[in-house]
Every structure is written in structure tokens, then in C-alpha cells.
Amino acid sequence: MSTLATWRRCALTLGLTLGLTLPLGSRPAEAQVAPDDPWRTVETEHFRVTFPAGLEPLAARAGVRAEAAYSQLSRDLVPIGAGRVDILLTDHVDVSNGLAGMSPWRRILIYARPPTDAAGLQYFDEWMELVVTHEMAHIAHLDHQGTLARITRTIFGRPPASWPFFPNAMVPRWTTEGLATWYESNLSGAGRVKGTDHQMVVRTAALEGTLEDLGQAGGDSPVWPGGNRYYVYGGQFLADLVARQGEDGLPGFVEAISGQWIPLRINSASREGFDQSFSQAWTDWVEGEESHADATVERLTRTTPATEPVILEPTGWEQLYPRILGDGVVFSRADRRADPQIRQWTPGSGTDGSGGTGRKLLRTNGLSTLDTGTDGTVVFAQLEYLDPYRIRSDLYVRSPDGQVRRLTRNARLSHPSIAPEGDRVVAVQEGEGTNRLVLVDLPSGELVPLTPFDAEVHWTMPSWSPDPGRIAVSRWVPGGLWDLGLIDPDTGIWTPLTRDRALDMSPTWTPDGHTILWASDRTGVPNIFAVTRSQGGGWSPPKQVTNMLAGAATPATDGEWLYFSAYGADGWDMGRIPYDPRTWFEPQETDPRFLGHRRTPPPFDDDSSPAATGPGTAPDTSSEAPEYRALRWALPRYWLPLYTSGEENRGTRILGRGVGAFTGGTDLVGRHAWDASLIWRPDGGLTDWRLGYTFAGLGTPVLGASVAQRWDAAGPFGLPSGDEIIPVSLEERERSAGVSVTLPRPRYRTFSSATASASLVRSETRVRQIGGDLLPSGILRRPLQTLGQLGLYAVFANHRSHPFSVSREDGVRLEVRGRVRQDLTVADSLTGVVGWDGSFDDLFGRASGYWAFDGPGFASHVLAGRISAGYAQGAGADAFHFDLGGATGQGIPGLNGLGGTSLLFPLRGYASGVRNGSRAVSASAEYRFPIAILHKGLGAFPLHLDRLMGDLFIDAGNAWGPELGVPGFQNPWNDWLLSAGGEVRLRLTPFWAGGLDVRAGLAFPLVDGDGAGFYLRLGPSF
């Protein structure tokens, strides 16, 4: 086939594949910052604040709060190093979060959504102050350096690593997050340490005997409270330790870790800071919490018995937001074992409703807020991607016949409540770093604002009364006042019902509209309260409805039963008790934290000059604020040494060892990214190098370019020379230049992407005598080749994965890669001649599928299957184009001899490369099952054992071709190779650094085998 025909065919294939894959859409962990936005940057004395248009006032507030935190932490924790800290304020994701990073520079990312419905985070005097103080505590803590870090950072810069560059990052996460949570609370006047949510988690665990020990708290287990354990246990433990040993202990601990030349010795550092090891202090704290919990129970039950609800479906984690539907209830559930969903529970035939049944009403993207209409309609909010960088919350409607339609798009709505007429909804709308109430027309989705966006007012959890003229809602105003009140949907007039520092949340109405129930933590323990309207139109003093010893939240009632979320040691379950106002009682004593002084963060000056630099002065964020300059961030700020062991075959070294360096950079918003590496091999004076660049400034597509040189080797071979055979090796230098275009399409439930690439490759092959000099190039047919290549890689996935899962579940992953490589310098007379023409076309595809089903154990059981197939043709497609054999996964350092690795065509029980060919197929079938949740640590030793899982598998595979009809070039089809075996997977957390799967397997080759083979690998098989 001619060169022109080949490139035309490639273009046609590319167009067809793009057309088939791009309209399709595995779920990314989180959207990135939008690199295509018109960002602006302003500066204060110690900070650069970068923000998109529309967030100017919030950027000014962030700068002021950051300067205040800088001053306080420099005084109370450790001195903060010189140079500005970058704050990136983004409003592209409708979740509340903040992140801090140390490499390649100090930076803070803040999502501009107030945490109005995030448990624990709701207790704030000002949300920006809370998040900035927390993240600045991370900056001060993690950036602090002793002698060793000062030396290594002077030499290497700020690489993406922990010890020895950032020694304070190599501690348990409960230490890192606990310290930041403590300072967040100590410096802001509110925060999670001083709130009731984290205290509830610890108190309940103490009452039920499930308080985690020091080793468990350092793990990465999905057992409740999951990832929140670092904040809960770390904050509460350190608060107790500081109360007993003094505030100087925290900076002393940070200094001690910074000064360690031998890492991971947290007990030693604790003794230096607190005069007590963490191991002993943790034991003391657990004993104290158990005694405190017992005292709390005695106080709460002295005059009123504890409320004991009937739990509908005891799964734990999160069951929230109940709403009445028919004679039962619907609610949101996310139990970390199955899809987040809206459940419907229907009472049984017993007089007390016993024997009720539950079913999944619909799957949702995360834990959804919702409401129900009298006709059975369900309106709910959920997140969805708008593009690869933006995730928005919108409203959806499920009709009584089960049909679901999207009501709004890019409206940023949550917490819907349906009007009694059923024609409109009140909801909370995010924007401008705050939120507002809006009315949404149910048929059309049109919005009408009910309140303005106001940085000094936040709203959450509205509830429309049976009387269409009133909406109960929780409102925050300065002073940390989360109070309950009524708002008129026609006039917007506000009528307060409570006024105190307690969190008064999730109001709901009785069917007659005379009583409002809500959840409040005013006594120090979250419980349900109620007020009733009198005949004169006023409201009675609050009554306490429940006396839960752990906690209660999100009530709903049909007038016969009261449903609410009941807290237990493994999270929130949906419970219910009879609705009986005769059992309500006078509220228990208000917790002292909610009485007395109400702190408001100091104001800042919005009218400051552009040169403002003072810690209490806002930066200039007018329309004249400087545009964001991306390239100044992309300068190299670190380098890391590289080493390669070269290549050795049959005891002979054919490619020398190499040393070199790697560096890279990216700008603050990810518009530009680049990397560069260089490796020098002293034996032979060979160099490998690469320079790559990615540009995401268009949003999509993402553009890439690279140039590289690399050396490869083969051999040893015997070269006849007169009467002797000279041992030689072949050295190949490949120089390449390429470009790529990537079109990603993430969605909450699916992910698809297509990458098209083009490259030019210059290949030079030469012969070297083993341990000696180069031989003349004339002994090779074609020492020089120039090749052009077009490629396409596309992927689609819709499988699920949950924190407790033993595997991917319920979905597929499909991949396809096609390449056309054309030899551009071969003579026309030699086109298609093996050994002369390096051209080839190849196609590789892989399909994986997963099906989950119920079974014994902590998670679903899974049947998984995968098939891979490859086909190559052309003169350059030799018998070594594809390799078959080996076990997938990363080898364990020092144990690489225990089985090979094959990414494309694995076949456990056989060595990597057991067969080769221009055609290859492999297939695997697995049964994956849970064995045990371990959740065991070793105290202060940096190792946590999370869970144990098992796999049974059958593998099959084959590789063959081409059959060229030339002696020595026969590679015919042979019988299939087949193996079977089993694996045990242990998920652990080494060095407090996140979950890792270690897989030990035993494979039995069933065809042409040499006996059972044992292997160790990191990561799952597929």
C-alpha cells in the first residue's frame, strides 16, 4: 500500500473512532480548576490571591483573613518562611473544601461555597476565616524545616515528596489535620473542635466501645468515620493534650519533627513537645473520653429517659433527609457499599409498622437533598459535570410513574422544598461565595430570586409549610448565629423563631402546619425540638422532642410517626418513634458554649488602595486588578536525581547504567505544564532526554507536544568474523517529536476520552562489540530510518467503585489503541520487504466487565472478566510485536524476580514473553470476594492493615504470527495456554501514606507448564 493510501486510511479510522467514542461519556475523583477562565491576581504583604471574575469581594476577604491567620500562626505555632503564599479562589465546583500544597510552591485552593450543610463545618463565625485559618495552619506546619530539610531544599528545591524535604508531611494524617483543626478552632473562636459534631462522634464511640486506638487512627479504613477520622480524632485528641500539657506542646512537636534526621519517630517528637508520648497520651485520652461519656449519659437521663428509636435499615454511614411519601418515608442513603440512592421505606402490617420493607427508588450522584409532593413526585438535587472542570448541582424531578427529568441546568441548586400547590419549589442557590433562596417553577425550571446574594447572610434547608404563605428555613448572620425563622415567599419578610449560637437546622412541618420540628445542638447533644403556633398567631417556647444520647438530625413527620436520622457508632441510620406531643419536655440545660459573648471577625476595608499591604487591609480587587500571568508560576522550582540500572541479558550487560535529573513545572491554574529529564550513561557516552509540554488554556481540547531521545539495546548476538564469532549488541537511538490532542468528557457516572497523536521518529541502529568499540555501520542493512506515526487512544468506562468495594463493580471499561507507522525513507523497491521496511499498522483493544452481587462479608462479591486482543500487519510487524505472559501490577522492589509483568497480555503462571507474535489474545475471568475487615494498627509504628480480600481466576492466552514463508521466520498458531489459581489481597497503609494493595498469588499452568508459580504484586489485577 502506498504512503498516501496508508495516511488516508489512518485519517478515516481516526474520524470514525472519534465519532463513536466522544459522545459517550470511570468517574474522575474531582474536577480541576478551569484553566480557560480569565483569572486575575492581586497581592497583599504575604499573599497572592488569584480569582475569577465575579469573586472580587470574596478575594478581598480572603486576603484579609489570610493576613490575620499569618500573623497569628507566626506567633502561636512557628515562624512562617519568607515569600508569598498563593491563594487560588475558585467557584467551579459546588462543594465546600479547601486544600493546601507545598510543591512546587506554597499554595492554598479554596472552593467558594460556604459549608452551610456540611456537618461539623457549620459552626463558624465566618466561613472564609475558618477555611483560610485551617489551610494556613497546614502551610505553617508542613513548610517548617529543620537542618536536614534546609539542606535538601537548598540543593533540590521543592520537589513533590515528603521526607527529607518536608519532614512534617511524614506523620500520621490525624496529626496533620488535627493540628490544623485545633488552630482553626483556637484562632477563629468557633470551628470543629469547639462544635458538637466531632464531640458526638467521639462520645458515641466511647459509649459503644469503638473508640479507635492510635494505630487505627493512622489508617485509611472506610470504617466510620472514614476519612473524617483524621479531623475528628486528631482535633479532639490534640485539644485534650494541649489542655493538659499546654499550648507550647504543638510548636514543640513541630520543631522536633523538623529536626529529626531519622523520620517516623512521632513518640520521640511528642516527648520533646509535650513531655509525654502519643502512645501514652492516647491511652489517657481514651480513658478520659469514656468517663466523660458516662457522665454525659448520667446527666441527660437524670430526669428524662433516653429516646430509643426503631431503626428502619441499619447500614450506617449516611441516611439523611427523610420526607413523607404515601404511608411511608423516602430518604437519601450513602452507605459506602453500594450506589448513593434515594430509598423508599414502607411500614409492615403490624400495628407498630414492624416488618417494613425498603427499596431503592433511584440512584443518585452522591447524597441528595430532596422533597416529596402530595402526588408522589420527588424533587431532588445532585451534582453533574458541565465540562471537565466544572461540577454543578441541579434539580431533577421523578414523577410518580418513575420517569426522571432534569429540571435545571447550571442553576447551582440544592435543598429543594415543594410548595403545597405543587407548582413551584424553593431551593438554595450558590453564588458569589454565599447563597440565596430562589423559587423554581416546576414545569419550566425558571428561577425567581427570593433573597439577594449577601456575604453576611447564608441560608440552608428551607421547608415550605402546608400553608403556602410561609417557609421555615435556617439562616446564618454574623456572630455565628444559625437560627430558625420564617420567610414569606411573596414579600421576603423574615420572622425569627430562635436566636442563639446553637446550630438550628433542617426544619420540617407537621401536616396541619401548626408545628415546626427541627434539629438543634443547643444542649451539646443534637436532638429534635419543636415549636407550636398558638391561636393568636404567636409561637410557643421550644419543647424538646427527643433525648438521644448520641445525636439526632433531619426530622420529618406524617402526624403519626416521627422519622429522623439517629446517630450511632457507625454513622447515621434512619429511625422513627411515635409522634406524641404529650411526651415532649422542657429543653435540657443550654450548653455553656452557646451562651455569652458572640464573636464577629474584625471587618476589613473594601476601599483600600492598590498598594494595600497591611494585615487588616483588603487587596485591590477592582476591574483594574492585574490579569493572571501563568508563565511566572511555570518556572522550574525543583529537580530530582534519576538512576537507571541499564539492561542486562543472559549475564551480559548490553546497555550501561545511567544517572540524570528530572524537573517540571505547572502554573497555578493548570494552563501550562511541562517536564524535562536527562540521563547520561558513562559507558558509551549515551544520553536519554525528554521535553514535554501540555497546554489546557482552551479548556478542551488539551494539547500536548514532546521531543525525546532514548537508547535501547538488544543482544548479545554472535557475529561471524573469519574463523571466530564476535559477541556484539545492537544499540538503537530513537529521536522523536510528536504532538497530541486530547478530548476528555467526564461525567459523574461515566468517563470517556480520545487522544489523537502524530509523531516523527528518527531511528539509528549500530553494532557494538561487547565491552568494546563500535563496528562499521555497513554490516547493517538499514542503520538509519525515518518513521512517521499517527495514533489514537480512546477509552470509555461506566463502572462503579465504593469505599468498601473489593473491586470495580457493575460496569465496563473499554479501551482501543490504533497506530499507523510509515517508513518514510525506504526505497520504493523495498517497500513491504521484511528486514528493510519498518512500516506497520497495529490495533489493540481491551474490554473489562464487572458484575457485583450480594454475599457474605463486608462488601459485594464481584465477577470480573477481561479480554485483550492485538493485531499488527506490515513489514515492520515482526514476531516480537506483542508479548504474552506474566502477572499485571507493579513489582515489589527487591522481589522483582517473583514473576514478570505484562500490561497488554497478562497470563499468570507463565513467564513474561512466554509467547510473542504479531497477533495476540488473552482473557481472564475472576471471582472476587471479601474476607475480613482488619482495621488494625501497630500503635505509633507507621503501618495499618485495612482489609483482606480474595480472588479465584482462570487465564488463557495465545500469540502467533507472522508466518513469512522464510526459514527462521515461522511463528505458527499453537494450542492455547491456560492457567488457574488464586490471589489474596491485603490493603494496607504504609508510612501513613494512603491505601495500597499487596497481592500474593499462586498460579498453576495447565498447558505446557513447569509447575505452580508464586508472585507478589502491588495493585489489583485489573
Side-chain angles (χ1 to χ4, degrees), residues 260-283:
Q260 287 185 348
W261 286 68
I262 301 175
L264 306 171
R265 296 181 297 121
I266 61 171
N267 270 341
S268 173
S270 176
R271 291 188 189 96
E272 291 187 43
F274 292 101
D275 295 324
Q276 188 179 24
S277 71
F278 278 155
S279 295
Q280 183 58 52
W282 196 280
T283 299

Side-chain angles (χ1 to χ4, degrees), residues 146 164 221 231 270 295 307 422 526 542 628 630 658 853 936:
S221 172
Y231 305 84
S270 176
T307 301
Y628 168 74
F853 59 96
K936 300 289 185 183

Side-chain angles (χ1 to χ4, degrees), residues 968-982:
F969 288 90
Q970 299 296 321
N971 190 25
W973 169 279
N974 290 304
D975 292 338
W976 284 84
L977 298 179
L978 186 67
S979 66

Side-chain angles (χ1 to χ4, degrees), residues 93-111:
V93 181
D94 285 346
V95 297
S96 305
N97 203 359
L99 303 168
M102 301 298 117
S103 174
W105 64 89
R106 297 176 301 179
R107 65 199 187 279
I108 293 172
L109 172 64
I110 299 174
Y111 292 167

